[in-house]
Amino acid sequence: MAEPAPKISKAEAKARRQAERALGAKLPKTLHCSFCGKGQHQVQKLIAGPRGVFICDECVALCNDVIAERPIPSYAGFQPLLDRSTEELLALLPSINFATEANRDFLQDLVDRLREREVSWAAIADPLGVSRQSAWERFS
Ligand SMILES: [Zn+2]
């Protein structure tokens, strides 16, 4: 059974429109935490980050525990994303695709900006661990 998509509040609809304007792209119907993979309707809050990534309140709480060096819960019940059900993986596809496309576009923008600054293809290729020719073919 696919994840239910409850009706969204006016505040959520407004936040969604703002995010879509800022990103210049339509968001997937259901968003997922980029850390744990839970859908927006499985958590209290889902916070947008740059380039199509999101973090849920539960993962923020875990991060706060790590930062504060408090003991963190056991991972005994943790299920790796790829081990989840076929339906859960299918539900996750749009969010992963959205983040991938957003990062691909940002990578191209980043290379374009470096080229505008007259950075050489060799200097761009080096940190990527690819040849100058390969960087040129991929980004020009
Ligand atoms: Zn999460």
Side-chain angles (χ1 to χ4, degrees):
M1 189 72 195
E3 188 177 316
K7 210 171 168 179
I8 61 172
S9 69
K10 281 186 177 180
E12 187 180 334
K14 183 179 177 185
R16 178 176 278 273
R17 284 193 304 274
Q18 286 175 335
E20 288 178 342
R21 266 197 304 274
L23 293 165
K26 190 155 178 54
L27 291 170
K29 194 179 210 175
T30 300
L31 303 170
H32 292 81
C33 175
S34 303
F35 290 77
C36 68
K38 287 183 181 172
Q40 69 186 86
H41 305 295
Q42 297 173 288
V43 296
Q44 293 292 314
K45 292 278 183 191
L46 194 63
I47 302 161
R51 295 175 291 287
V53 299
F54 297 87
I55 188 166
C56 75
D57 59 300
E58 295 171 22
C59 286
V60 168
L62 182 59
C63 289
N64 285 331
D65 288 344
V66 171
I67 291 167
E69 298 182 2
R70 286 189 289 265
I72 56 173
S74 162
Y75 285 96
F78 178 77
Q79 184 183 30
L81 278 179
L82 294 177
D83 291 349
R84 295 187 184 174
S85 74
T86 299
E87 288 173 349
E88 287 175 300
L89 294 181
L90 287 170
L92 199 53
L93 271 180
S95 289
I96 299 297
N97 184 57
F98 183 80
T100 301
E101 293 298 321
N103 277 289
R104 183 175 294 126
D105 292 348
F106 183 72
L107 179 58
Q108 183 66 54
D109 291 346
L110 183 60
V111 170
D112 290 347
R113 180 62 53 93
L114 290 167
R115 291 295 297 156
E116 287 168 12
R117 294 179 182 179
E118 300 183 356
V119 173
S120 72
W121 284 113
I124 291 168
D126 185 52
L128 294 173
V130 300
S131 70
R132 178 196 155 285
Q133 179 71 25
S134 175
W136 179 82
E137 287 173 2
R138 182 172 174 192
F139 298 112
S140 68

